[in-house]
């Protein structure tokens, strides 16, 4: 899943939060900037798709007699997203540490 | 401050209103008000069925009617208050338990029923609370099962 980020051309040490630029990025040439933006867009889309899939499977009850989400489901969805991002952050931190240690 | 009623609500305002309507506090208060109404009607009906204290037959008819109506009103209000408290506690506790567990099944109703029955029987000591908990939990479990048996 993170192969694209670390195995790709640009060596980003840590995965940026969705919608933000990685810290310490000075003015690059427009091609590299475009490539970086594309890659980030791909990453965010991928993360969104996985998040959606996972939290839908885990949280939504398969009873469709009402179109409104019950309180349980909406609370579960909130927690699912928060947990996902937390795990994302921790895993990327660990990977960053491992790759820094290797160098 | 701009008048919030001149424009149709934005998506943010609608989401905030939705959040408020689905919050446990609002649900509890709303159930309390609905319980008050139902309890008033129930108390009125019950006061007609029940045997009321004997009326002073020496007073004029108008006086007698007034006394009877006052008695009915008192019974109705007392029943309404009890129903309101019961409904508010049940609804509030069920909402909180459901948000804590993040699950939607019958155990929320059972636990909420136990909390309500126990709270209402606080004056009768621990044994009374246990009985109240068991009784109300069974009742609310039955009602919840019946309401959701065709889902």
């Amino acid at each position: 899943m993170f192969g694209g980020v670390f195995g790709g051309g640009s060596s980003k040490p840590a995965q940026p939060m969705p919608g933000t630029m990685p810290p310490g990025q000075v003015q690059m040439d427009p091609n590299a900037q475009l490539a970086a933006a594309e890659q980030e867009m791909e990453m965010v889309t991928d993360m969104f798709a996985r998040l959606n899939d996972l939290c839908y499977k885990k949280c939504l009850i398969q009873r469709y007699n009402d179109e409104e989400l019950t309180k349980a489901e909406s609370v579960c969805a909130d927690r699912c997203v928060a947990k996902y991002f937390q795990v994302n952050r921790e895993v990327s931190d660990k990977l960053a540490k491992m790759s820094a240690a290797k160098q | 401050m701009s008048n919030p009623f001149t424009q149709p609500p934005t998506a943010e305002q609608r989401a905030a209103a939705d959040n408020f309507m689905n919050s446990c506090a609002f649900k509890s208060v709303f159930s309390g008000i609905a319980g008050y109404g139902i309890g008033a009607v129930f108390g009125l009906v019950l006061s007609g069925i029940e045997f009321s204290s004997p009326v002073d037959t020496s007073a004029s008819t108008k006086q007698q009617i007034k006394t009877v109506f006052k008695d009915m009103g008192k019974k109705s209000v007392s029943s309404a208050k009890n129903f309101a408290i019961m409904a508010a506690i049940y609804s509030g506790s069920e909402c909180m338990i459901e948000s804590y567990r993040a699950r939607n099944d019958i155990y929320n109703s059972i636990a909420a029923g136990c909390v309500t029955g126990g709270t209402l029987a606080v004056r009768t000591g621990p044994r009374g609370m246990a009985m109240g908990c068991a009784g109300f939990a069974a009742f609310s479990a039955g009602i919840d099962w019946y309401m959701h048996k065709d889902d």
Side-chain angles (χ1 to χ4, degrees):
Chain A
M1 180 164 133
F2 291 91
V5 175
F6 288 90
S10 60
S11 55
K12 286 193 205 164
Q15 182 184 337
M17 285 303 294
T20 64
M21 284 292 282
Q25 198 143 57
V26 238
Q27 189 69 8
M28 299 191 308
D29 74 297
N31 271 340
Q33 239 177 0
L34 195 59
E38 264 181 31
Q39 192 169 53
E40 182 164 348
M41 176 74 177
E42 216 176 276
M43 227 166 47
V44 170
T45 316
D46 180 57
M47 171 151 60
F48 175 75
R50 282 172 195 275
L51 182 57
N52 234 1
D53 213 29
L54 175 78
C55 294
Y56 184 91
K57 264 193 229 128
K58 275 187 174 272
C59 285
L60 252 56
I61 308 175
Q62 302 293 325
R63 238 175 22 209
Y64 293 104
N65 61 325
D66 191 13
E67 68 179 30
E68 302 262 336
L69 284 179
T70 61
K71 188 134 182 82
E73 287 164 333
S74 63
V75 157
C76 179
D78 280 346
R79 291 181 190 168
C80 178
V81 170
K83 280 189 176 175
Y84 186 91
F85 281 137
Q86 175 84 354
V87 168
N88 226 0
R89 238 175 285 145
E90 295 194 3
V91 169
S92 78
D93 285 347
K94 217 156 181 78
L95 276 171
K97 250 188 283 192
M98 273 169 45
S99 74
K102 241 186 279 181
Q103 291 165 5
Chain B
M1 194 139 97
S2 65
N3 185 346
F5 295 117
T6 51
Q7 313 286 335
T10 66
E12 221 176 59
Q13 287 172 335
R14 263 182 283 139
D18 253 343
N19 263 347
F20 176 66
M21 296 286 175
N22 288 336
S23 68
C24 285
F26 179 78
K27 271 194 187 164
S28 174
V29 167
F30 194 77
S31 295
I33 295 176
Y36 193 88
I38 293 181
V41 170
F42 197 71
L44 217 57
V45 167
L46 219 58
S47 74
I49 299 175
E50 262 181 2
F51 175 73
S52 54
S53 48
V55 183
D56 183 13
T57 45
S58 61
S60 74
T61 318
K62 208 167 173 193
Q63 289 279 7
Q64 291 187 32
I65 293 181
K66 249 211 275 193
T67 332
V68 167
F69 270 134
K70 245 197 236 170
D71 188 47
M72 279 173 76
K74 254 192 281 200
K75 286 212 178 89
S76 164
V77 163
S78 132
S79 164
K81 268 196 284 203
N82 278 333
F83 262 78
I85 293 177
M86 201 186 310
I89 295 179
Y90 180 81
S91 170
S93 63
E94 182 176 31
C95 179
M96 285 199 277
I97 291 170
E98 181 171 352
S99 349
Y100 172 72
R101 292 181 69 226
R103 271 181 221 287
N104 192 336
D105 45 23
I106 200 177
Y107 298 110
N108 297 333
S109 298
I110 298 176
C114 180
V115 167
T116 313
T119 316
L120 291 177
V122 141
R123 298 247 174 88
T124 56
R127 192 138 182 271
M129 280 173 79
M131 301 276 288
C133 161
F136 211 97
F139 171 69
S140 65
I143 299 272
D144 191 84
W145 172 81
Y146 179 73
M147 302 269 277
H148 292 147
K149 74 176 152 84
D150 293 327
D151 285 349

